Amino acid sequence: MTQNFEKLRLDAPNAGPVEWRISDGLTPYEEAVAFMETRADAIARGEARELIWLVEHPPLYTAGTSADVADLTEPDRFPVFSTGRGGQYTYHGPGQRVAYVMMNLKARGSDVRLFVQGLESWIIKALDRFNVRGEMRDGRVGVWVQRGLKEDKIAALGIRVRRGVSFHGISLNVEPDLSHYDGIVPCGISVHGVTSLADLGLPVTMEDADVALKAAFEEVFGPVE
């Protein structure tokens, strides 16, 4: 599946640079959600700039609006949070870069479907900097890596849009403990696995991933600061 974004206006030249923020350490999930909701409301009121916020979380599972409880196979393994983002169960934890995306879709002239494709394109362009071919799949949100006869998911995506502003976002597996995914059926898909840059044999640091994500974001959405 290929996308051509030349006819989409995913950048917002009149909105100014998007704020780019990186938090050190492990950010509690409840604090992240509370902050995102407050910031998204401020963006909708025109009182704050768009923001990309990069964090890591302690080990946890989140349940999106389409989550099937049967896909939570080890409910006592890590804390489980119900969340308003789209999608099913996913994992967050150390070694995974979570990028929360608080952006004004009205200013960018794109609908939610095209915006999601833009987010996937962002991840793919970042992976390309490590010579990793990430791919989209029809009917499956996220980014995938073909590995011989099988394919594994390397990045997940789930957003919520309220008053025209997105929040929640993407998660890229840099070097998480992939065994932590064993407590769920990731995104409700049991026939495919998960992978990471480290699992692919690439010694990529979180700082390396952040540099790649920043450069790729600017290609798709415009400048940050």
Side-chain angles (χ1 to χ4, degrees):
M1 180 180 180
T2 61
Q3 278 72 31
N4 183 344
F5 292 95
E6 292 178 357
K7 295 182 180 179
L8 304 181
R9 213 193 78 210
L10 292 173
D11 63 326
N14 297 323
V18 176
E19 181 181 350
W20 188 269
R21 182 183 302 181
I22 302 174
S23 290
D24 295 328
L26 300 179
T27 301
Y29 187 74
E30 306 98 316
E31 292 182 15
V33 172
F35 174 84
M36 279 192 290
E37 291 185 345
T38 299
R39 181 62 174 250
D41 286 342
I43 293 170
R45 293 192 302 268
E47 298 172 357
R49 285 194 297 161
E50 296 176 304
L51 171 66
I52 304 298
W53 183 27
L54 277 59
V55 305
E56 288 180 85
H57 288 304
L60 59 93
Y61 298 129
T62 67
T65 54
S66 301
D68 182 343
V69 68
D71 290 338
L72 181 62
T73 57
E74 296 183 33
D76 299 323
R77 185 168 187 177
F78 297 126
V80 181
F81 297 92
S82 295
T83 182
R85 63 159 175 81
Q88 303 184 48
Y89 281 103
T90 194
Y91 165 77
H92 294 315
Q96 181 192 74
R97 178 51 88 205
V98 176
Y100 288 126
V101 180
M102 288 151 272
M103 296 177 68
N104 188 342
L105 271 62
K106 291 181 180 179
R108 292 177 179 274
S110 60
D111 63 26
V112 174
R113 180 184 62 83
L114 297 178
F115 181 66
V116 167
Q117 291 178 359
L119 295 176
E120 291 173 325
S121 179
W122 169 30
I123 301 167
I124 288 169
K125 288 177 180 293
L127 291 172
D128 188 57
R129 285 163 166 77
F130 304 112
N131 294 316
V132 173
R133 180 180 173 83
E135 299 178 343
M136 305 179 198
R137 291 290 183 267
D138 288 322
R140 282 191 261 144
V141 175
V143 176
W144 303 79
V145 175
Q146 192 72 40
R147 306 181 74 182
L149 297 179
K150 68 169 187 171
E151 57 186 23
D152 291 336
K153 194 171 195 175
I154 194 168
L157 189 159
I159 64 167
R160 182 176 180 181
V161 177
R162 186 169 64 198
R163 297 177 61 194
V165 178
S166 69
F167 55 111
H168 296 282
I170 69 167
S171 57
L172 172 64
N173 288 340
V174 180
E175 193 176 6
D177 184 339
L178 294 179
S179 71
H180 288 179
Y181 280 91
D182 294 345
I184 57 172
V185 178
C187 302
I189 301 173
S190 60
V191 296
H192 303 293
V194 291
T195 189
S196 67
L197 291 168
D199 184 50
L200 295 172
L202 298 169
V204 176
T205 67
M206 193 65 73
E207 292 75 17
D208 295 333
D210 291 346
V211 170
L213 284 168
K214 185 176 181 180
F217 181 90
E218 292 188 311
E219 283 190 45
V220 178
F221 293 102
V224 304
E225 68 176 18

